[in-house]
Every structure is written in structure tokens, then in C-alpha cells.
Amino acid sequence: MARTVIIEEAGGPEKLKLVDREVGDPGPGEIRVRHAACGLNFIDVYQRMGLYPLTLPHALGMEAAGTVEAVGAGVTHLSEGDRVAYASTPPGAYTEARVMPAAAVARLPDGISFETAAAMMLQGLTTEYLFERVTPLKAGDRVLFHAAAGGVGLIACQWARSMGIELIGTAGGPEKCALALEHGAAHCIDYKAEDFVAQVKEITGGAGVDVVMDGVGKDTFAGSLDCLKPLGFMISFGNASGPVPPVSLLDLAAKGSLKLTRTTLFTFLADHARAQAMAQNLFQKVESGDVKIRIGQTFPLEDVAEAHRALEGRKTTGSTVLTL
């Protein structure tokens, strides 16, 4: 049996329940993993609220780190006793132990702790695909990144710095802006006090940026388009403020033949070889010191509802870890 956080109906943090569930043995292509820590992300909130519907009842959580207890038939890249970490579907990481698909689970280097791994897999792999796999980026390019003091944002600031990319961040308040700058942002705009579109135009001398990476959604989307240079690329990858309303393709034409995509991490992780390569790239960035993972807050598993409230209330910085 394993303590596991589930929802039986969509709604607020009060819908999160901690129950005992039988774990079982892995089948073909699966492993059983005993968790040491798991991560908290906005996708968990979207699933809890029903924005990303699940078949209920369902366990929550998309990332964790721990030790392999058993390996099913056909799994060749992992062995019993391996230290591992993952961001993976289906949800179910808020638990002491689980049986799950092995394909996206990666062997964790000894130099990276379980807590650090649990804090970085979903956010770090998101950063990896944003900078390495959506559109070609090179030193000297300018990127606007919203919520630059959040979990993904602080990793993105450092990733951009390691590539020689000029990252312009936005964050809410001077303390969060200072944090983004400390982690490698070239500029950070306090969206609570300044018009980020006007500030981006000033920073770029009216030219605009090459790429916008926007995980905020509804509140920043329209302004983000206005920050792009002609032929610029808009990457929408989240809905922290709510889903983006319908977009007219004619608007993209009028604003300079802009390119737009709505991405999701799990499309990139669906291919086993690519998922493993992405994980190794992330591990290399962390082990080299190019990227340092900041765990801003931890909560015991039984306080998961409090953790969700803090995340939704924008009271967190960096990554959040649930301890077991």
C-alpha cells in the first residue's frame, strides 16, 4: 500500500484527498518506483480544476524521483535499484510508490539529489524543449519570457544565459525581478508597475523580440504578440491566468507574418529516445553548473492542498517539492 493523493471530482484544493492505494507489480514496459520526493506544477492545478479533464477518481502529480523496486518485461534501460527521475504521463506522482510506464523515466546521476530531481524534471524538460526543440535559437537572439521568477522561469533564465541568449523576463514585483536577474535574465520588467509591451519596445529599440515564451496565457497573450518582431515566433505553453481566447490568423498577418504554436511537454516526451536525450541534456546542464535548481518551498505530502493554494496564489518562487 502507498499513501496517494487523488481527486474524486474536479474543483478547488479542498478536493484533494490522501488515501491508501495498493501498488501492485509492473507489467510489460512498466516499472515500480518508490518515491523520495515529488514535484508540484501548474498542470496539476489544471487537472484538479478540470481544465485538463481526467477520468475520475484519479491520482495527481506529473514528476517525481526515487528508486526502482521492480522492472517489467521489455524494459532494458532501467534496473532494480536504479536511482531515477521523471516527468511522465499518466498523472499519479503524488504517492509513496507507483507502477508506471518506464519509457520516459531516466536514470538519475549520483550527483543530483532526489529533491533536486523532483523539483526540476517537468520544469527543466519544459525549458529544454522550449530552447532546444521548438524553433532554432542562437547566441544574440532575444527572447521574452513571462513569469521569469517561477519554477520554469528561473531555469529558463539560466538556460538562456548558457546559450548567449538575451532573455527579457517579466515578473510581479521588484523582489521577483531581482531573482530573475540574479539567475541570468538580461532585463526583467515588473508587470505590476510597468507596461511590458512598452518596456520591451524600449529595450529592443523598437525592434521587438525574436521569440516569446508565454506560460501565463490569457492575461499576457495579446501583449506578447505585440512584442514580436516581424516573422517572430510566439510559443504559448501554459494557461496560468486562464486559457487563451480564439485567435484570428489575420491578426498574425497584420502584426508581421507571425508564427504561433501551442506546445505541450508530453508531445516531446512521447518518443522514448527523445525523452531520454532531453533528460540527459537537462542533467548535463545541472551537473555542469549552468543551471542551478532553486527549491523555493517544500510541503509534506499531507499538506498538498496548502501547496496548491500557495502556487495558485502566486506565493511561490522557484520550484515546489512535496516530501514523503
Side-chain angles (χ1 to χ4, degrees), residues 136-143 163-167 210-211 229:
L137 284 166
K138 63 185 184 303
D141 284 347
R142 284 171 165 156
V143 169
M163 294 177 66
I165 290 168
E166 183 182 343
L167 186 142
D210 299 281
V211 175
K229 63 173 53 173

Side-chain angles (χ1 to χ4, degrees), residues 223-273:
S224 292
L225 292 180
D226 290 335
C227 291
L228 284 166
K229 63 173 53 173
L231 306 182
F233 203 125
M234 171 74 180
I235 305 172
S236 176
F237 68 95
N239 321 287
S241 67
V244 174
V247 179
S248 168
L249 293 179
L250 291 176
D251 287 344
L252 301 181
K255 292 178 184 293
S257 299
L258 304 181
K259 292 163 281 187
L260 167 65
T261 185
R262 176 57 169 93
T263 57
T264 178
L265 169 63
F266 297 105
T267 306
F268 291 88
L269 294 180
D271 178 82
H272 170 68

Side-chain angles (χ1 to χ4, degrees), residues 10-285:
E14 72 280 358
K15 299 298 183 182
L16 297 163
K17 292 186 176 182
L18 187 61
V19 300
D20 288 324
R21 276 190 156 187
E22 188 172 349
V23 181
D25 296 317
E30 295 180 331
I31 60 167
R32 185 172 71 238
V33 58
R34 176 69 52 176
H35 289 157
C38 50
L40 175 68
N41 298 280
F42 254 106
I43 190 172
D44 308 343
V45 174
Y46 303 154
Q47 290 169 343
R48 190 206 72 220
M49 294 172 58
L51 180 62
Y52 295 172
L54 300 173
T55 301
L56 302 178
H58 209 297
L60 291 185
M62 305 298 292
E63 69 176 340
T67 304
V68 176
E69 288 190 333
V71 176
V75 177
T76 59
H77 69 292
L78 298 172
S79 302
E80 185 178 331
D82 281 348
R83 301 174 74 252
V84 294
Y86 67 85
S88 177
T89 55
Y94 291 180
T95 184
E96 293 174 321
R98 69 183 295 199
V99 169
M100 63 177 295
V105 181
R107 188 180 290 111
L108 183 66
D110 291 340
I112 300 176
S113 72
F114 287 132
E115 290 77 15
T116 297
M120 77 181 192
M121 291 304 290
L122 192 143
Q123 295 167 348
L125 292 171
T126 297
T127 304
E128 200 275 352
Y129 89 72
L130 288 171
F131 282 87
E132 307 284 353
R133 300 180 191 272
V134 180
T135 188
L137 284 166
K138 63 185 184 303
D141 284 347
R142 284 171 165 156
V143 169
L144 173 64
F145 199 101
H146 291 295
V152 178
L154 292 182
I155 298 173
C157 290
Q158 298 173 81
W159 206 291
R161 179 172 58 188
S162 76
M163 294 177 66
I165 290 168
E166 183 182 343
L167 186 142
I168 303 170
T170 69
E175 290 184 358
K176 288 192 173 184
C177 281
L179 194 59
L181 292 168
E182 177 188 331
H183 282 73
H187 315 270
C188 194
I189 301 162
D190 180 356
Y191 66 80
K192 291 184 176 179
E194 300 173 301
D195 178 344
F196 76 82
V197 177
Q199 290 299 309
V200 167
K201 296 291 187 178
E202 182 174 334
I203 291 167
T204 63
V209 297
D210 299 281
V211 175
V212 176
M213 299 177 181
D214 188 344
V216 174
K218 176 173 64 71
D219 289 353
T220 52
F221 183 81
S224 292
L225 292 180
D226 290 335
C227 291
L228 284 166
K229 63 173 53 173
L231 306 182
F233 203 125
M234 171 74 180
I235 305 172
S236 176
F237 68 95
N239 321 287
S241 67
V244 174
V247 179
S248 168
L249 293 179
L250 291 176
D251 287 344
L252 301 181
K255 292 178 184 293
S257 299
L258 304 181
K259 292 163 281 187
L260 167 65
T261 185
R262 176 57 169 93
T263 57
T264 178
L265 169 63
F266 297 105
T267 306
F268 291 88
L269 294 180
D271 178 82
H272 170 68
R274 183 169 54 223
Q276 296 298 316
M278 290 170 65
Q280 294 308 314
N281 196 15
L282 173 60
F283 295 156
Q284 188 277 326
K285 287 282 188 184

